[in-house]
Amino acid sequence: MLAVINARLHPVSSSPGRGGLLIREGKILEAGDIRVPEDTPTIDARERIVTPGIIEAHCHAGLSEEGIGWEGNDGNERSDPITPHVRAIDGANPEDKAFRFFREAGITASQLTPGSANIIGGEQLVAKSRETVFIDEMIVLRPSGMKAALGENPKRVYGPKKSPATRMGNAAVMRKWLDRALAYADKKDAGDSPDFDMILESLIPVVRGDLPLRIHCHRADDISTALRLAEEFSLRFSLEHVTQGHLVADTLAERDVFCAVGPSMVHEAKVEMRGNGFENAAKMVRAGVRFCLTNDHPVVHGRNLPAAAGLLQAAGVPAAQALKSITLAAAEHIGLGDRMGSLDVGKDADVVIWSGDPLDARSFADVTIIDGEIAHCRGGDSGC
Amino acid sequence: MHAYIGAKIYPVDGPPIDDGVILVEDGKIAGIGGDLPIPDGVEVVDLSGKVIIPGLVDAHSHAGMWGDGEGEASQDGNERPGPITADVDAIDSVNPHHTSFASCREGGVTTVQIHPGSGNAIGGLCFAAKTAGEVVDDMVLKAPTGLKGALGENPKRGAGKDSPKTRMGTAALIRDYFARAREYGRKRDEGKSPDPDRGLENVLRVLEGEIPFRVHAHRSDDIVTAVRLCEELGIAYNIEHCTDGYLIAGFLGERGIAAHVGPGLSSRGKVETANRHEGNAAILAAAGVKVCLVTDHPFLDARYLMAYGGVAQKYGLSFEDTLRALTICPAESIGVDDRVGSLSQGKDADFLVLAGEPFSFKSPVLATFIEGVEVYTRPTL
């Protein structure tokens, strides 16, 4: 058991208010007006703001390790543009320093994803930022999605001598393999026994609509291609980056597409990122696009995700919505909206006590709680 | 003449002024103070409730030189093949119409020192420019402001089959080239007219004290090598990035070195940045290093330099030192503090109007002025 008392609770799913949290077996047992049993270890929040843990919905932590160089780069299996059979779990190093910085910054969970060199890049997972040497102990959901990519990256990596060398090549390669996977899945369902093919096996949950295809796309035309492909194959899917989503915001809103937008803090590093900035995200929010914010760690360090939400607020998005974009909306994006992202009874006890406004770059995560356990304590008078 | 009244002013070279007045005439500050008579016929702008600080000075930027959403076609930062390209001048790579300058204005950056990249051991000339204009030559504040050098991973990675292959190789190349420049200068002084060589001439400018050597160094051993080389050569210098600086803060502090610390808010993308520490700026400043916070734009978008200031402050840099690290310190380091970096009479009227106290996302830049002209106005949301 663990109690947090005297908090200014920002539950995200409902309006802020004063109160506390009672935590048992890693879950929130009571929220708001709580009764603390005797002898319960208690953190006095002393009127500080308490939010759910921050979630980085699109993250390469553990796969692109900090300060290691090529030895620590395990994000892109560049041997072929179609690698759905590779898995983030086999590449992510829990000892990447990033996870420690996440704990210190209140980032309690992240979706770890292969990179965008390949048309289909591999299986994703969601990990808590726990301190452990076993990735398995961090995992909340696996697989959480299948990574795909359109636009510049695949054609740059494989072209011009190999397909894909163009954007239409990107789409053709994707179609070819989804067609094959469908045929393979149909054969299996019909009781035929096709020769085992690991690539096609890995794509069955995608073409059957069980596993979301998470499609990297920046430019508006790449977004359109992603929507076209998703519709053709009746995929479960989400869009990742969506830099120019503001140009097609009405379509995205109308189709209720899940969008993880970012990294907005970097300058337009590539042609496909032209016009990058928080104004785009703000326009998407105003158009009603289903939206969460990502730093694409390590492109911008995940620890700066709350500061990014601050800049989103500066671009005109209301504070509550900015906070939601890195908590509940991110949880929903990665398929865990029922388990994380808000301070509701029954949800994982991923909780942060902040020294000030959580979205102010100058504020600290004084205490980070993951699954009911104190994962970071800033010391001093932080209260733990 | 214009009078900006009512705002709280942080002049940087003096104490804050509540309800202050800035008089601007012909692009210069004609007067500044708390109780300043406003001459007749002056256009008065009421900024009550707002905050004014000097325009930010970014001592390490690649604005207009790469990035800018144009891909390969606009990669003009590193003249390869290296490793010595002392003859190139950054001014010949800069496009004032690139969006990076709009980013600078939006983020309140009014002066930038634009560097060639760090791919080469000696990369070329840097220069200082204002961030508004149509023709780069009209934007120049001072040129050149330094010669770019680089140690550590980048030069040895970029070299292909040639030297440098190692850190000692990079140092040897720099030593050798400076020795050749000295020899070139000796011949010239003896009236022997050596074959003209722009690269050697530029290095001579460093040897003769006209411009400093600005050395890219992340890791502490690279920083120490930079100091060793520059002390050996007897030249003025500063450290670019200085990522590991906090590990050798005493060594740097006792030399009073200027460190251009950044890019802010970034990751440890390379081995040489593995020790990156958010408290670096604060520790260096406490040790007596002249700290300048830099974007290394596009690595941190210039729009978010103030947010970087917030983070530096969060990790121990005082409010005053943070403000100085974004204004007067870089102005001094670039050698343009007679014109910019603080708000005092006679200096350029480069200033920002903020919605509130600096370094919070709640205090965005409402307006950016360069030489009295409003070059950015925050759009109504």
Side-chain angles (χ1 to χ4, degrees):
Chain A
M1 293 268 266
L2 179 67
V4 177
I5 59 169
N6 298 324
R8 285 156 66 197
L9 292 177
H10 287 236
V12 176
S13 52
S14 55
S15 304
R18 289 199 69 261
L21 296 169
L22 190 62
I23 294 165
R24 193 176 68 188
E25 289 168 2
K27 301 282 180 188
I28 297 172
L29 187 65
E30 293 177 27
D33 203 6
I34 60 169
R35 289 159 295 116
V36 183
E38 228 171 284
D39 299 328
T40 304
T42 299
I43 301 172
D44 188 346
R46 296 194 320 275
E47 304 304 324
R48 281 169 292 173
I49 290 175
V50 173
T51 70
I54 308 302
I55 299 169
E56 168 63 304
H58 180 116
C59 180
H60 304 288
L63 292 157
S64 298
E65 291 180 66
E66 298 200 9
I68 306 284
W70 78 267
E71 297 92 332
N73 283 337
D74 291 298
N76 284 301
E77 175 58 34
R78 287 172 192 250
S79 50
D80 193 89
I82 298 290
T83 58
H85 55 305
V86 308
R87 300 172 182 181
I89 189 175
D90 297 318
N93 182 1
E95 295 200 272
D96 182 2
K97 289 177 193 168
F99 294 113
R100 175 162 66 83
F101 296 121
F102 283 6
R103 292 191 289 278
E104 288 176 6
I107 319 297
T108 54
S110 50
Q111 176 165 249
L112 306 186
T113 177
S116 51
N118 295 347
I119 296 295
I120 300 180
E123 181 198 284
Q124 304 165 303
L125 63 86
V126 176
K128 293 282 178 87
S129 310
R130 292 171 155 280
E131 187 173 1
T132 168
V133 291
F134 299 106
I135 186 76
D136 311 69
E137 291 177 357
M138 298 166 73
I139 291 174
V140 189
L141 178 64
R142 183 186 83 77
S144 56
M146 178 65 73
K147 181 65 183 294
L150 298 171
E152 289 177 24
N153 292 4
K155 71 170 189 154
R156 186 183 63 235
V157 171
Y158 294 101
K161 290 193 175 158
K162 184 174 173 178
S163 189
T166 61
R167 280 181 156 81
M168 53 191 173
N170 286 345
V173 171
M174 176 97 78
R175 276 197 187 92
K176 176 165 116 183
W177 284 90
L178 294 180
D179 280 340
R180 283 185 183 176
L182 264 177
Y184 184 83
D186 286 346
K187 269 190 197 164
K188 283 187 77 165
D189 286 356
D192 298 345
S193 301
D195 289 344
F196 179 80
D197 185 319
M198 194 169 172
I199 289 175
L200 298 178
E201 283 286 336
S202 307
L203 286 173
I204 291 175
V206 174
V207 293
R208 288 295 182 232
D210 296 325
L211 186 66
L213 191 67
R214 303 195 183 279
I215 312 171
H216 163 115
C217 48
H218 285 282
R219 230 167 63 169
D221 57 341
D222 294 324
I223 295 170
S224 302
T225 303
L227 295 176
R228 189 180 316 120
L229 286 164
E231 199 159 288
E232 271 173 44
F233 289 91
S234 306
L235 300 174
R236 268 185 75 192
F237 73 106
S238 67
L239 301 185
E240 310 288 314
H241 308 305
V242 212
T243 302
Q244 294 184 348
H246 60 297
L247 301 177
V248 288
D250 291 340
T251 304
L252 295 173
E254 197 182 290
R255 301 194 192 179
D256 200 21
V257 176
F258 281 94
C259 296
V261 178
S264 304
M265 219 185 267
V266 289
H267 194 63
E268 33 196 22
K270 304 185 281 185
V271 172
E272 65 182 10
M273 289 178 76
R274 262 200 149 158
N276 191 33
F278 289 96
E279 309 74 30
N280 299 358
K283 281 178 193 157
M284 283 184 247
V285 172
R286 281 195 283 278
V289 175
R290 190 186 272 272
F291 155 90
C292 72
L293 204 60
T294 170
N295 270 7
D296 194 9
H297 171 93
V299 178
V300 174
H301 203 290
R303 71 191 295 170
N304 297 313
L305 195 51
L311 294 168
L312 182 66
Q313 193 182 335
V317 173
Q321 226 166 343
L323 180 61
K324 187 183 173 189
S325 76
I326 54 172
T327 53
L328 187 55
E332 288 167 350
H333 186 90
I334 60 182
L336 289 165
D338 56 342
R339 235 188 107 166
M340 304 191 299
S342 61
L343 298 177
D344 289 314
V345 171
K347 282 199 166 178
D348 289 3
D350 299 342
V351 180
V352 186
I353 303 175
W354 299 91
S355 69
D357 182 336
L359 305 190
D360 191 314
R362 296 168 300 180
S363 299
F364 286 97
D366 276 348
V367 183
T368 304
I369 297 168
I370 298 178
D371 292 324
E373 287 172 18
I374 295 172
H376 158 70
C377 174
R378 191 158 76 95
D381 57 359
S382 58
C384 56
Chain B
M1 187 185 267
H2 285 74
Y4 299 89
I5 65 164
K8 178 178 184 179
I9 303 171
Y10 290 97
V12 173
D13 54 7
I17 307 163
D18 285 314
D19 191 9
V21 177
I22 298 182
L23 297 174
V24 173
E25 189 167 31
D26 297 331
K28 299 280 182 187
I29 296 171
I32 179 168
D35 195 17
L36 210 60
I38 297 167
D40 286 341
V42 167
E43 198 172 317
V44 175
V45 181
D46 185 0
L47 296 173
S48 298
K50 308 291 193 291
V51 170
I52 289 179
I53 64 171
L56 307 185
V57 180
D58 187 354
H60 187 128
S61 174
H62 303 287
M65 174 180 273
W66 73 48
D68 298 290
E70 291 181 342
E72 193 78 359
S74 292
Q75 301 281 336
D76 289 306
N78 283 301
E79 174 61 19
R80 298 192 196 283
I84 306 279
T85 55
D87 55 331
V88 308
D89 188 337
I91 197 171
D92 296 316
S93 269
V94 170
N95 178 1
H97 300 276
H98 269 177
T99 55
S100 44
F101 288 105
S103 288
C104 289
R105 298 189 290 269
E106 184 182 337
V109 177
T110 53
T111 297
V112 283
Q113 176 173 239
I114 301 178
H115 293 237
S118 52
N120 296 341
I122 302 178
L125 294 175
C126 313
F127 73 107
K130 295 291 179 77
T131 56
E134 309 283 313
V135 174
V136 69
D137 306 76
D138 298 337
M139 295 156 70
V140 169
L141 185 55
K142 186 178 179 184
T145 51
L147 182 68
K148 181 68 178 287
L151 299 172
E153 291 175 23
N154 291 6
K156 65 173 187 158
R157 189 181 55 224
K161 285 180 187 160
D162 304 319
S163 185
K165 278 279 160 298
T166 61
R167 284 178 154 80
M168 54 191 173
T170 305
L173 278 168
I174 293 173
R175 268 197 193 92
D176 177 57
Y177 200 74
F178 272 77
R180 283 171 54 199
R182 194 160 266 156
E183 184 62 15
Y184 180 90
R186 192 182 56 75
K187 278 191 189 153
R188 189 196 55 188
D189 293 346
E190 289 170 359
K192 286 180 183 163
S193 22
D195 291 340
D197 187 318
R198 295 270 182 165
L200 295 175
E201 303 241 0
N202 286 337
V203 170
L204 260 184
R205 297 164 97 163
V206 177
L207 284 166
E208 288 169 355
E210 182 195 334
I211 51 173
F213 199 33
R214 302 193 183 274
V215 191
H216 163 113
H218 283 285
R219 228 168 64 174
S220 64
D221 56 339
D222 294 325
I223 299 170
V224 172
T225 300
V227 172
R228 185 185 315 119
L229 277 169
C230 294
E231 288 186 352
E232 232 173 80
L233 295 165
I235 56 175
Y237 66 101
N238 75 279
I239 304 296
E240 302 293 335
H241 307 303
C242 205
T243 304
D244 275 3
Y246 69 97
L247 296 174
I248 49 170
F251 173 86
L252 298 174
E254 69 193 28
R255 287 168 168 80
I257 284 170
H260 298 174
V261 180
L265 308 179
S266 64
S267 304
R268 295 157 188 78
K270 301 188 282 186
V271 174
E272 65 184 9
T273 59
N275 296 323
R276 193 175 182 286
H277 179 10
E278 302 292 347
N280 189 25
I283 294 167
L284 287 172
V289 173
K290 293 171 190 149
V291 170
C292 311
L293 299 176
V294 301
T295 63
D296 197 3
H297 182 98
F299 295 100
L300 173 65
D301 191 324
R303 281 189 286 182
Y304 307 123
L305 180 53
M306 289 273 261
Y308 175 30
V311 172
Q313 207 186 322
K314 171 179 173 181
Y315 288 94
L317 197 62
S318 70
F319 176 87
E320 290 74 18
D321 282 348
T322 306
L323 200 51
R324 293 174 58 81
L326 294 167
T327 53
I328 192 69
C329 288
E332 286 171 357
S333 177
I334 303 172
V336 292
D337 53 308
D338 57 327
R339 293 269 308 268
V340 301
S342 64
L343 300 175
S344 55
Q345 195 174 340
K347 280 200 172 186
D348 290 6
D350 296 356
F351 61 94
L352 314 179
V353 180
L354 308 179
E357 291 292 322
F359 311 123
S360 168
F361 71 89
K362 291 171 186 165
S363 309
V365 177
L366 300 178
T368 301
F369 288 81
I370 294 181
E371 296 174 19
V373 178
E374 189 165 346
V375 296
Y376 166 76
T377 310
R378 183 173 160 84
T380 315
L381 296 171

